[in-house]
Amino acid sequence: MRAFNVVKFKVKPGSETAFLDAHRDGKAKWPGLVHGAIIKTGEASHCLIGEWASAEALAAARPAMIETLNSFRATLDEVAEGRGVTDAVSGAVALDIA
């Protein structure tokens, strides 16, 4: 069963290009990822939305995702007090719409 993850980021001023570049050119092509997109949700906020072949594929890719995160961690501010630089959720598809 397909799964999705959503990760919120708050990018430091002047770091948006470096943040986006860290995901370009296959740097975020993790095994099992069907499709991913980064959307800009505010002046400094972005969300990464990933579609995965399965919840198991998503779980197996976590070490690679953390490795990618470590490559651009310096471009991020804390998302919220005490929550770190990401706010992530994931899960299996409950309902397809459209």
Side-chain angles (χ1 to χ4, degrees):
M1 175 177 280
R2 290 182 3 256
F4 283 80
N5 71 321
V6 178
V7 184
K8 293 193 297 187
F9 303 97
K10 184 176 176 188
V11 180
K12 291 179 181 177
S15 296
E16 183 175 13
T17 298
F19 167 75
L20 294 174
D21 285 349
H23 296 87
R24 293 185 204 279
D25 303 322
K27 295 174 190 152
K29 186 60 180 163
W30 305 296
L33 180 68
V34 174
H35 180 77
I38 294 176
I39 60 172
K40 187 167 183 162
T41 58
E43 187 60 35
S45 59
H46 293 72
C47 284
L48 181 147
I49 301 170
E51 179 182 1
W52 298 84
S54 66
E56 295 79 16
L58 169 57
R62 282 193 181 115
M65 288 188 284
I66 292 169
E67 184 177 329
T68 303
L69 170 62
N70 288 337
S71 76
F72 66 89
R73 189 179 293 274
T75 70
L76 303 176
D77 279 329
E78 277 197 29
V79 179
E81 179 92 21
R83 296 187 95 178
V85 296
T86 65
D87 184 8
V89 294
S90 64
V93 174
L95 175 69
D96 275 315
I97 300 173

